Amino acid sequence: MIRLPLILLSALFFCCSVSAFSQSKSVSALRSQLSQVEKLTVPGDTTRAVVLNELADAYLHLNPDSSLYYAKRAYHASGDFFLSGQLLAMNAIARAYYLKEKYSLALIANQHTFVLSKRLNDKGRQCSALNTIGLIYLAQNDLLVALEKFKEAAALATTIKDSARLAVIY
């Protein structure tokens, strides 16, 4: 009887180890790619911002501080010419602050994400930003404001007929 839980625990440990190893391999590959890109990048090139955003995403659950570092670099590398790069970077900044439980900073970043998604007319990202804003208020036990943001996100998801986003909201 004791062997079954031990086997299950060993399997879980193995799966987590493989996942962590492949994640860190991904990070090292992205860091290597960033090193190459930084040698070749010219002003106006979006490649650097793309790789920085990928690094921010890869680090999010491994090390939110590193995620913030790369996301902020991606935001600045995007400049005024690459709004979708700014949007991805600001979203990564918001998620990292949320994980660090710095809700006021996460809220500011998510509001900026919402504004950028409106400028790009990206209704899907607007919906995600509203939902995340709702989650931030929920984490702070402000249930009425959270519910209002969830309703706004659900209405937008319904308008754009995005059932997957609607399912996430509910």
Side-chain angles (χ1 to χ4, degrees), residues 34 38 41-54 56 69-93 112 116 119-120:
L34 177 63
E38 286 184 329
T41 301
V42 295
D45 184 7
T46 60
T47 308
R48 184 168 169 246
V50 169
V51 175
L52 287 165
N53 274 321
E54 289 175 357
Y69 170 76
Y70 287 111
K72 287 176 180 180
R73 285 185 60 195
Y75 184 83
H76 292 294
S78 296
D80 291 332
F81 60 89
F82 187 36
L83 286 181
S84 59
Q86 282 186 1
L87 174 65
L88 292 174
M90 193 53 61
N91 186 46
I93 290 168
H112 194 69
L116 286 169
R119 283 180 65 191
L120 290 165

